[in-house]
Amino acid sequence: MTAAENVCYTLINVPNDSEPPSEISLKADLEKGEIKSKTEALKKVIIMILNGEKLPGLLMTIIRFVLPLQDHTIKKLLLVFWEIVPKTTTDGKLLQEMILVCDAYRKDLQHPNEFIRGSTLRFLCKLKESELLEPLMPAIRACLEHRHSYVRRNAVLAIYTIYRNFENLIPDAPELIHDFLVNEKDASCKRNAFMMLIHADQDRALDYLSTCIDQVHTFGDILQLVIVELIYKVCHANPSERARFIRCIYNLLQSSSPAVKYEAAGTLVTLSSAPTAVKAAAQCYIDLIIKESDNNVKLIVLDRLVELKEHPTHERVLQDLVMDILRVLATPDLEVRKKTLQLALDLVSSRNVEELVIVLKKEVIKTNNVTEHEDTDKYRQLLVRTLHSCSVRFPDMAANVIPVLMEFLSDTNEAAAADVLEFVREAIQRFDSLRPLIIEKMLEVFHAIKTVKIYRGALWILGEYCSTKDDIQSVMTEVRRSLGEIPIVENEIKRESGEVRAEEEVSAAPAQKLVTEMGTYVTQSALSSSRPSKKEEDRPPLRGFLMDGDFYVAASLATTLTKVALRYVLIVEDKKKQNSFLAESMLIMVTVLHLGKSSLPKKPITDDDVERISLCLKVLSECSPLMNDIFNKECRKSLSHMLTVRLEEEKLSQKKESEKRNVLVQADDPISFMQLTAKNEMTSKDDQFQLSLLAAMGNTPRKEASDPLSSKLNKVTQLTGFSDPVYAEAYVHVNQYDIVLDVLVVNQTADTLQNCTLELATLGDLKLVEKPSPLTLAPHDFANIKANVKVASTENGIIFGNIVYDVSGAVSDRNCVVLSDIHIDIMDYIQPASCTDAEFRQMWAEFEWENKVTVNTNITDLNEYLQHILGSTNMKCLTPEKALSGFCGFMAANLYARSIFGEDALANVSIEKPIHLGPDAPVTGHIRIRAKSQGMALSLGDKINLSQKKASV
C-alpha cells in the first residue's frame, strides 16, 4: 500500500543524505540521553522502521526509558512509533511487550490534559489489533462524558472505527452514540456522532433527524452538510421517503454556508424534477455564483447550471431565469463571462430575447467607458458574437443591435471590429429592410475607421449595397475625403518641400500661457510647437494606408468605385453626369496607380494590385453589360451562397445537439421498474457522494470498451522477461493530472527476497511523488506495488527503473533487474476542441514551434486517411464536410485539439492522390503541426508518424 492509501495524519520528511545511525548508539541515546537527544533518537528510529529496517532490540528500551516520560513531543512521536512498529510475531500472535504499551494507552486516556487524551483517541482509530483495544473500551466510553469537546469528538470517531472493524467489542455503539447525540451541544461532536449513525445505523439517524427536522436551519454548517448527505442517501435507496424530507432540503437552500447551499441544491434536483424545485435550485446556484469571489467556484457552479440545461424539462424552467444568469457578467473574469454568455445564448427564446439584447447592449457600451484592461477587448468581442447569434436566430432584434455595434467599426481593436463587420455583412444581405439604416450608419462612421482590414471590408459593403443616387454620391464624397487632395503624388511632393500653406498644415489652436519657475507668464505659439509632427497626423486615413505601402486596399477601392460607377450609369440618365462620375472614378484609380509606381510609399505596389486596378479602369472605359453583371450580380450571389451554406451547417449542428439532448422513447422499449432493476443497470441511480469521493481519490470509473477485460489488458506493460528471477508487469492508470502504476512483482526463485525495492525515474515533464516501500517476498510469492507519478504538461514521457533485492542468507551484493521503459501516451491528455477560422489563423501565426511530418502510409483514399489521422490523434477537423466532399485528387484540412492543461495544438493536412501512379497508389503529402511548446509539437508528430499506416487485417 502507498502512503496515500494508508490512514495517516502525519507526513514525515526523510532526509536522503543522512547516514543511518547504528542500533547501539540509538539504544544509548534512548537510555541515558536528555529529553532532546531522546526525541532525536526516537525520530531516527521511526525513519529507519519506515525504510524497512527491523529493530526488535529497541522495543523494550523504548517501553522502559521513553514510555514513562510526560513530554508532549515525545508522546506525539510515540503515537507515530506505535502505529508503524510491528506488533505481532511471525506467526501472527501479539507480542508480550504490547501488554505494557496497552497499559500506557489506558493511562493516557485518563490523563488530565485534554490534548493527550484526544490525540490518543485519534491514534486508536488506526489500530487493527482487537486484543489491544479490548482492555481500553471502558476508558474510551468514559471519554464521551469529558468536559472538553476535542476529547468527546475524537471519542466518537474512535468508537465508530472500533465498531466498524470489531463490532463485538462495542455492540451497543449506535444506541450509545444516539443517546450522546440527543444531549450533545457542540456542533463538531454532533456532526461526528450523526455521521457515525448514518453509516452504522441509518434508522437511528433518521429517528434523530425526525425529532429536530424543524430546527435544522439553526444547526452549524458541518452538521447541515451531513444531514444533506443522509437525506440524499435515504431518498436514493428509498424514493418513497422523498416527500418526508424535501421541505428540509428547501430550508437548507437558505443556509448561510455556501457549501450547504451548493449540496442542498444538487440534492434537491436529484430528488425532484418539479419545476418549482428546479427553479429554487437554479436560483440558489445563481446566488452562489454572484456572491462567491473565487472564480474556480463560479466555474464549478456554472457547470452545474449547464448540466441542468441539458435536461429538456429543466431547460424551460431555466429560460425564465436568463436575466438572473446575466447578473454573473459583473464578474471581471473572462472565462466566467464566456461560459455565462454561452449558457444565456443556449437558453434564449422569443420570450426573453428582447431583454437579453438590452442587457448585452448595455454591457457593450460599458466596455467603451472602462479603462482598457487586457480582457476588455476579448469581452467586447464575446458580446459582439453573442449579439450576432441573437440577431441571426431572431431577425427582429437586428434593427436594435446594429446601430450600437456600428460604433465599434472605428474601434482600435481589430478583432472586435472585424466581428462587427462580419455581422453587418450578414445582416445587410439577409435583411433587405435594414439596408438603408446600415448604409446610413456605415457612411457616418466610415471616416473614423482606423484599421486597414476594417476599411477594406467597409468599402466592399458600401460598393455592393449602395443602390440610390444619393448613397452613391455619398460614397464618392467619403472616398475623396479619405484620399485628400488629388493628384496624390504632386500633393505629397508639395508637402515634403513645405510649399503647402501654413494655415492648411496647422489647425488654429489658441496660444498657451505657461508659468516659468520664477512665477512669470510666457506665451507659447501653437504654430511652432505642433508643426513638425503634423505631416503624419494630417494625412486622411486612406492616404495614410497607401503611404504605408498597403495597396491591397487600393484594389478594393478600385472594385468599389467600379461597382458604384456602373450602377450610377444605370440609375442616372444624364450623359454628362455619367461621364463626370466615370471620369472621377478613373482619376482616383489612376492617381493611386501613379502613387504606387512612385518612390513615395514605404513599399511599392504589387503586380497583382496593379493588374486589378488596370482591369477596373478597362471595365469603366468600356462599360459592357457582361462586366456589369459580373460586378453587380455575381459577387452578391457568391456571398449569398456562402451565408446559406454557413447557416445550413449551424442548423445541422444545432439539430444534432437537440437530438443528443432529447430523450426519445420508442413504443416497443421495455419499461424499467426501479424495484426490479439490477444496480449496474441503473444509470441515474449512481450515488453522487460516492462518485465525488472516487473522483477526489482519482478512481473515477471510466467507460470501458465493449469488452472491459481487453481494454484493461491493453494498458498492461511487461517490465521484465519470464526467465528473470523477478517478474514484473505494470498496469498504467492515467487520471487527469497523475498516473498510477500498479506493478505486480513475482518472485520466481526458491529463495526469500529481502528489501525488494522498486526504483523508478522519469524522463520528460513527469515527477515521481513518492518512493515505493521495500518488500520481503517469500519463495514464489507475489505482491503489488503502487507508485504515483505527477504530470505537468502534454509531452511524451518515459518511466524507467529497476528492481533491487537481497537474497536471504547470501553474502553477495544486492541483485538488480533492469525494467523495460514505460512510454506514457500523449493521447490520454489531448481532447478534440473547436475554434473559429480567425482564431485558428491567429494561433497559427503566433505559435513558434512547427513540426512537419511527411505522409508515409499504405492508405489509398484521401478521406479515409484523414479519418484515420483524426482517430489516432484525438483532433477535430475544423474544415466543413462540404469542403471535403467530392474527389479532385487533393485535400487540405485544418485540425485542432486542446490538452487538459490548456495547451493548443494545430495541424494542417495537405495530401494528394498521385493518380498517374495508378488507383492503388498510397496517399502522399505533408502534415504541419504547430504548438506553443516544443514538447507538444514533437510528441504529436511522433504520434502521427507511429500511427500513419493502417494495420493489415
Side-chain angles (χ1 to χ4, degrees):
M1 286 177 77
T2 61
E5 289 173 310
N6 282 323
V7 180
C8 177
Y9 299 110
T10 315
L11 295 174
I12 297 167
N13 180 30
V14 183
N16 296 324
D17 52 350
S18 57
E19 191 69 31
S22 66
E23 196 171 329
I24 299 161
S25 66
L26 284 172
K27 200 168 185 177
D29 282 345
L30 290 168
E31 281 182 17
K32 298 169 185 169
E34 297 291 316
I35 294 283
K36 195 174 179 183
S37 58
K38 283 186 178 182
T39 307
E40 289 304 315
L42 192 53
K43 283 181 182 176
K44 286 173 186 172
V45 170
I46 290 168
I47 288 167
M48 288 172 76
I49 292 174
L50 282 172
N51 283 337
E53 297 287 339
K54 305 281 187 285
L55 302 169
L58 290 179
L59 187 62
M60 205 60 213
T61 308
I62 288 171
I63 290 170
R64 285 177 59 204
F65 297 101
V66 184
L67 197 57
L69 297 174
Q70 293 301 310
D71 182 73
H72 282 203
T73 308
I74 283 184
K75 281 201 173 290
K76 279 203 285 188
L77 286 170
L78 278 171
L79 291 177
V80 178
F81 174 75
W82 296 126
E83 185 188 338
I84 61 170
V85 76
K87 302 172 190 67
T88 55
T89 57
T90 48
D91 55 356
K93 290 184 179 174
L94 196 71
L95 291 169
Q96 293 294 319
E97 294 90 338
M98 294 312 290
I99 295 166
L100 300 169
V101 179
C102 188
D103 190 53
Y105 293 154
R106 193 176 50 75
K107 285 178 182 169
D108 281 347
L109 287 174
Q110 293 165 348
H111 199 281
N113 183 300
E114 58 269 8
F115 171 74
I116 289 173
R117 274 204 198 199
S119 53
T120 308
L121 284 163
R122 248 181 123 134
F123 157 71
L124 293 179
C125 295
K126 294 177 265 182
L127 275 188
K128 297 287 182 284
E129 289 79 24
S130 59
E131 300 98 316
L132 285 174
L133 291 166
E134 195 170 359
L136 304 174
M137 291 319 296
I140 295 171
R141 280 170 176 266
C143 286
L144 280 176
E145 293 165 15
H146 194 270
R147 60 184 174 77
H148 204 284
S149 61
Y150 179 69
V151 177
R152 295 200 302 276
R153 73 167 172 261
N154 282 308
V156 172
L157 281 178
I159 287 171
Y160 172 40
T161 48
I162 293 166
Y163 178 75
R164 193 174 58 191
N165 296 328
F166 314 105
E167 193 178 332
N168 59 309
L169 293 181
I170 184 163
D172 62 335
E175 188 182 342
L176 180 71
I177 295 299
H178 181 266
D179 296 342
F180 166 80
L181 181 59
V182 170
N183 301 315
E184 182 56 55
K185 296 287 181 283
D186 182 73
S188 59
C189 297
K190 285 171 86 169
R191 180 251 177 202
N192 284 4
F194 194 73
M195 190 177 71
M196 178 195 157
L197 288 180
I198 288 175
H199 296 285
D201 190 344
Q202 215 172 73
D203 292 337
R204 284 183 193 274
L206 286 171
D207 289 345
Y208 172 72
L209 183 57
S210 301
T211 59
C212 60
I213 199 157
D214 295 329
Q215 286 90 45
V216 165
H217 61 279
T218 61
F219 292 165
D221 56 349
I222 52 173
L223 183 55
Q224 285 178 341
L225 279 171
V226 186
I227 288 171
V228 171
E229 184 181 347
L230 171 70
I231 292 173
Y232 178 82
K233 286 189 171 177
V234 169
C235 298
H236 190 262
N238 187 5
S240 59
E241 295 279 357
R242 288 176 183 179
R244 181 178 166 194
F245 294 112
I246 207 150
R247 176 53 47 198
C248 178
I249 292 289
Y250 266 112
N251 291 339
L252 288 175
L253 289 178
Q254 311 304 321
S255 170
S256 57
S257 162
V260 174
K261 287 169 81 169
Y262 176 76
E263 292 296 347
T267 303
L268 182 60
V269 173
T270 55
L271 298 188
S272 170
S273 56
T276 48
V278 175
K279 189 172 183 178
Q283 197 71 59
C284 180
Y285 281 145
I286 293 164
D287 289 344
L288 277 175
I289 299 168
I290 292 163
K291 288 174 184 170
E292 279 301 305
S293 56
D294 188 344
N295 288 331
N296 292 321
V297 173
K298 289 177 189 281
L299 288 168
I300 289 165
V301 182
L302 266 171
D303 283 336
R304 296 305 294 264
L305 278 174
V306 172
E307 281 173 31
L308 271 184
K309 179 209 71 178
E310 296 301 322
H311 200 288
T313 53
H314 296 170
E315 188 176 7
R316 289 174 198 146
V317 178
L318 285 176
Q319 282 176 353
D320 297 334
L321 296 172
V322 166
M323 300 315 293
D324 291 323
I325 291 169
L326 287 176
R327 286 162 59 203
V328 180
L329 292 177
T331 308
D333 183 68
L334 185 69
E335 201 59 39
V336 174
R337 284 171 159 178
K338 191 174 184 178
K339 201 165 260 193
T340 306
L341 284 172
Q342 187 56 53
L343 178 62
L345 194 57
D346 290 343
L347 293 171
V348 73
S349 65
S350 52
R351 286 178 297 151
N352 54 26
V353 66
E354 205 168 328
E355 293 171 318
L356 174 74
V357 167
I358 290 167
V359 173
L360 294 181
K361 276 163 65 178
K362 283 180 184 171
E363 285 294 315
V364 169
I365 293 161
K366 265 190 221 169
T367 60
N368 242 355
N369 307 331
V370 174
T371 49
E372 282 298 314
H373 183 263
E374 60 181 34
D375 284 341
T376 307
D377 290 344
K378 289 178 183 173
Y379 179 46
R380 193 179 300 155
Q381 217 172 328
L382 277 175
L383 289 168
V384 168
R385 284 181 188 172
T386 310
L387 283 167
H388 182 175
S389 302
C390 284
S391 302
V392 170
R393 282 167 59 185
F394 304 97
D396 298 348
M397 291 296 110
N400 297 336
V401 173
I402 286 166
V404 178
L405 293 188
M406 293 284 271
E407 300 293 331
F408 288 95
L409 286 175
S410 57
D411 202 63
T412 47
N413 174 24
E414 190 178 291
D419 278 337
V420 173
L421 198 69
E422 196 178 320
F423 168 46
V424 168
R425 186 184 67 183
E426 190 170 342
I428 204 168
Q429 170 63 24
R430 291 184 59 199
F431 313 129
D432 292 347
S433 58
L434 295 177
R435 280 181 192 172
L437 172 70
I438 295 174
I439 295 290
E440 184 191 337
K441 295 297 290 181
M442 182 72 82
L443 287 167
E444 275 177 29
V445 297
F446 188 72
H447 69 279
I449 295 173
K450 297 179 182 68
T451 53
V452 66
K453 185 182 171 186
I454 308 306
Y455 201 92
R456 267 200 327 262
L459 266 177
W460 188 90
I461 289 172
L462 288 172
E464 189 63 46
Y465 294 100
C466 283
S467 51
T468 66
K469 180 185 168 186
D470 292 343
D471 285 346
I472 292 171
Q473 288 284 12
S474 302
V475 171
M476 181 58 84
T477 308
E478 286 296 336
V479 167
R480 288 296 299 265
R481 185 177 169 190
S482 293
L483 266 180
E485 195 178 327
I486 54 174
I488 301 171
V489 176
E490 285 179 26
N491 188 255
E492 282 298 318
I493 292 169
K494 281 181 185 176
R495 284 166 66 92
E496 289 295 325
S497 58
E499 288 178 27
V500 180
R501 293 196 307 279
E503 299 90 70
E504 289 174 13
E505 278 201 28
V506 182
S507 57
Q512 281 181 299
K513 280 192 173 181
L514 301 177
V515 182
T516 64
E517 289 175 1
M518 297 173 68
T520 56
Y521 288 100
V522 292
T523 304
Q524 183 181 19
S525 165
L527 185 70
S528 59
S529 65
S530 60
R531 183 164 181 165
S533 64
K534 279 288 171 182
K535 282 186 183 176
E536 294 297 322
E537 287 178 19
D538 267 3
R539 282 204 183 108
L542 185 51
R543 185 181 291 198
F545 301 144
L546 296 174
M547 291 302 289
D548 287 338
D550 194 332
F551 281 95
Y552 187 28
V553 74
S556 181
L557 172 68
T559 309
T560 300
L561 288 174
T562 307
K563 285 178 184 176
V564 293
L566 289 172
R567 214 171 290 135
Y568 189 82
V569 169
L570 293 174
I571 296 167
V572 179
E573 293 186 6
D574 187 342
K575 278 281 178 190
K576 193 176 177 185
K577 284 184 179 176
Q578 285 181 8
N579 291 339
S580 170
F581 196 91
L582 287 170
E584 190 174 3
S585 303
M586 291 168 85
L587 173 63
I588 291 169
M589 292 184 214
V590 170
T591 189
V592 169
L593 263 180
H594 186 199
L595 176 67
K597 295 286 186 183
S598 71
S599 58
L600 290 173
K602 290 177 183 173
K603 287 183 280 185
I605 191 167
T606 62
D607 292 343
D608 285 346
D609 295 331
V610 170
E611 198 175 319
R612 183 69 172 174
I613 297 170
S614 305
L615 174 73
C616 291
L617 281 166
K618 187 169 173 57
V619 168
L620 285 183
S621 63
E622 292 175 359
C623 287
S624 69
L626 173 64
M627 286 295 133
N628 199 347
D629 276 0
I630 290 170
F631 271 84
N632 281 329
K633 290 180 184 172
E634 296 301 324
C635 291
R636 198 173 297 186
K637 273 187 191 171
S638 302
L639 172 66
S640 178
H641 181 63
M642 185 191 82
L643 292 176
T644 309
V645 168
R646 190 186 294 175
L647 201 64
E648 279 175 13
E649 280 173 17
E650 281 177 14
K651 280 181 180 171
L652 197 67
S653 63
Q654 281 175 7
K655 192 178 175 186
K656 281 180 184 172
E657 281 293 317
S658 61
E659 279 175 6
K660 217 183 281 179
R661 292 213 310 256
N662 287 344
V663 185
L664 297 173
V665 182
Q666 300 299 333
D668 56 349
D669 278 357
I671 300 169
S672 60
F673 294 95
M674 200 174 287
Q675 287 80 359
L676 305 176
T677 313
K679 189 165 184 187
N680 57 359
E681 292 173 24
M682 289 298 288
T683 50
S684 62
K685 291 278 284 175
D686 291 333
D687 189 331
Q688 295 300 318
F689 284 93
Q690 197 61 33
L691 287 177
S692 59
L693 180 63
L694 288 171
M697 292 165 65
N699 296 332
T700 317
R702 292 195 167 199
K703 289 178 183 171
E704 300 290 359
S706 52
D707 182 0
L709 290 174
S710 68
S711 61
K712 197 162 186 177
L713 289 171
N714 285 338
K715 294 194 175 181
V716 173
T717 309
Q718 188 177 332
L719 301 179
T720 63
F722 291 116
S723 58
D724 283 317
V726 175
Y727 172 75
E729 64 181 29
Y731 168 61
V732 184
H733 181 76
V734 178
N735 293 319
Q736 193 167 5
Y737 295 111
D738 63 338
I739 298 163
V740 179
L741 296 180
D742 191 351
V743 184
L744 172 70
V745 182
V746 182
N747 177 7
Q748 301 198 108
T749 65
D751 302 313
T752 300
L753 307 183
Q754 293 182 328
N755 291 333
C756 183
T757 310
L758 176 68
E759 294 180 347
L760 295 172
T762 57
L763 199 66
D765 223 338
L766 304 173
K767 186 184 175 187
L768 196 66
V769 177
E770 59 183 337
K771 184 181 167 189
S773 307
L775 300 168
T776 300
L777 287 175
H780 304 291
D781 193 8
F782 64 89
N784 279 65
I785 303 173
K786 285 194 176 178
N788 281 322
V789 179
K790 286 284 171 199
V791 187
S793 72
T794 315
E795 208 174 300
N796 277 345
I798 299 172
I799 302 171
F800 57 95
N802 44 45
I803 291 175
V804 290
Y805 59 90
D806 297 325
V807 178
S808 181
V811 290
S812 61
D813 291 336
R814 299 198 82 184
N815 298 283
C816 175
V817 177
V818 179
L819 306 176
S820 301
D821 297 346
I822 301 171
H823 292 265
I824 302 303
D825 191 0
I826 185 178
M827 287 306 102
D828 288 317
Y829 307 109
I830 287 184
Q831 297 161 341
S834 57
C835 66
T836 63
D837 287 347
E839 287 167 343
F840 185 91
R841 281 195 290 273
Q842 189 181 351
M843 285 190 281
W844 189 269
E846 285 174 3
F847 290 173
E848 52 195 29
W849 292 103
E850 181 173 305
N851 187 6
K852 192 173 182 181
V853 179
T854 306
V855 173
N856 177 18
T857 183
N858 53 1
I859 298 172
T860 57
D861 182 69
L862 295 174
N863 230 320
E864 188 186 345
Y865 178 77
L866 179 65
Q867 294 307 320
H868 179 68
I869 290 295
L870 291 174
S872 57
T873 60
N874 274 5
M875 297 188 90
K876 182 178 180 179
C877 182
L878 299 180
T879 311
E881 277 183 42
K882 286 200 173 182
L884 299 172
S885 59
F887 180 78
C888 61
F890 64 88
M891 181 188 281
N894 291 335
L895 316 182
Y896 178 61
R898 186 180 283 132
S899 76
I900 57 171
F901 307 104
E903 300 167 310
D904 298 296
L906 316 174
N908 173 258
V909 180
S910 299
I911 47 178
E912 64 175 313
K913 168 91 174 167
I915 300 166
H916 61 282
L917 297 177
D920 295 331
V923 171
T924 60
H926 291 93
I927 299 172
R928 289 163 71 201
I929 301 156
R930 284 205 182 179
K932 214 168 203 172
S933 62
Q934 184 185 17
M936 181 84 155
L938 291 174
S939 302
L940 205 52
D942 292 345
K943 180 68 187 172
I944 290 173
N945 266 328
L946 287 169
S947 56
Q948 278 199 66
K949 293 193 175 177
K950 194 177 180 185
S952 53
V953 182

